[in-house]
Amino acid sequence: MKTSSLILKKSLLALAAVSTFGAAIAAPADNADKTIVLVHGAFADGSSWDKVVPLLQAKGYKVVSVQNPLTSLADDVAATKRAIDAQTGKVILVGHSWGGTVITQAGADDKVSALVYVAAFAPSEGEAVGSLGKEFPTPPGIAKLQADASGFLSLPAKAVAEDFAQDLPAAQTKLMAVSQGPINSKAFGEPVTVAAWKTKPSYYIVSSQDHMIAPGLEAAMAKKIGATTTTLNTSHVPMLSKPAEVAAVILAAAAK
């Protein structure tokens, strides 16, 4: 009887161990069914998410960082749509700055379960970025934009350091100035035809020290779209200056 009891006890312990192990691996497996698609803004590229990506991957999520051509709203939406179409499960769509306009349009896709706006534009149907925020003073960084002969806008290195990412080290802002993606000025006049935030749960990060989009406009857009709102004391690029806080908001959206 003692032998039988001992065998039974060992069997139960083994079963418990298997169950515990199964529970441990279940969460990452569930997370792996969701993809977080990151959409950068103007004067940037996909590397602007480099500090956030590892934090999301550490939680078991698949992450895709879109490389926007920044040639038009339609082209950027198409690039984002390709990333969404390549996924088999649900997508959490995250947009920074101009990328907010892109996710507002592309986020209508059935695969998209939530939207996260990071110091980003959130237009309504028929609105273009160029028409937003006229009731606020022109942000310092916008006043320093330079246009080339083809109408593509970029920021001088000094403006990147002082107005785009003033809370980052000089060595980093110098690199950002070199790798920035100029945007076709015509894109700012292209209206969105759908506002995905009307039908999708939305989250918004307001950057209180933003010199590219007026913080008051960010707060107003967050309120307009009914977003769960977080305010960070950062420049226009909180994903680089406070990546853990930005990742926390994205993870909250992904957990729904």
Side-chain angles (χ1 to χ4, degrees):
M1 291 294 293
K2 289 184 178 180
T3 302
S4 299
S5 176
L6 183 60
I7 292 173
L8 177 60
K9 186 176 181 181
K10 287 183 177 181
S11 298
L12 290 173
L13 289 172
L15 180 60
V18 170
S19 299
T20 302
F21 179 73
I25 64 173
D30 291 344
N31 290 351
D33 290 337
K34 298 178 181 178
T35 302
I36 298 171
V37 175
L38 306 169
V39 183
H40 69 80
F43 324 119
D45 64 7
S47 68
S48 60
W49 300 106
D50 281 359
K51 292 184 179 180
V52 171
V53 170
L55 302 179
L56 304 177
Q57 290 176 328
K59 296 298 183 179
Y61 289 100
K62 181 180 178 182
V63 184
V64 175
S65 183
V66 176
Q67 292 289 354
N68 284 327
L70 301 176
T71 45
S72 70
L73 174 59
D75 290 346
D76 288 356
V77 169
T80 300
K81 276 284 292 167
R82 286 193 296 273
I84 295 171
D85 290 345
Q87 312 313 315
T88 55
K90 292 296 184 181
V91 169
I92 297 85
L93 200 52
V94 184
H96 171 242
S97 190
W98 161 255
T101 308
V102 178
I103 71 169
T104 295
Q105 181 85 30
D109 190 286
D110 290 341
K111 288 182 181 178
V112 176
S113 61
L115 304 170
V116 182
Y117 292 82
V118 181
F121 293 107
S124 300
E125 301 101 323
E127 282 188 328
V129 164
S131 67
L132 299 176
K134 292 183 177 180
E135 67 274 29
F136 296 93
T138 301
I142 297 300
K144 297 173 184 177
L145 290 175
Q146 296 179 336
D148 66 13
S150 298
F152 279 78
L153 302 172
S154 61
L155 282 170
K158 186 177 180 182
V160 174
E162 295 178 353
D163 300 302
F164 193 76
Q166 69 269 22
D167 51 359
L168 295 181
Q172 189 169 0
T173 61
K174 287 179 180 178
L175 180 61
M176 292 168 67
V178 170
S179 62
Q180 70 175 291
I183 187 169
N184 191 330
S185 57
K186 293 180 180 179
F188 292 150
E190 296 180 70
V192 298
T193 59
V194 62
W197 49 261
K198 287 191 172 183
T199 58
K200 305 292 174 76
S202 298
Y203 295 73
Y204 199 109
I205 294 175
V206 174
S207 293
S208 65
Q209 302 302 316
D210 202 322
H211 293 179
M212 297 300 299
I213 301 176
L217 174 58
E218 293 181 8
M221 289 187 290
K223 182 178 180 180
K224 176 188 72 174
I225 69 176
T228 299
T229 304
T230 300
T231 300
L232 299 178
N233 186 33
T234 67
S235 69
H236 188 56
V237 288
M239 63 282 194
L240 289 170
S241 57
K242 291 195 174 180
E245 289 85 342
V246 172
V249 173
I250 297 172
L251 290 170
K256 297 297 183 181

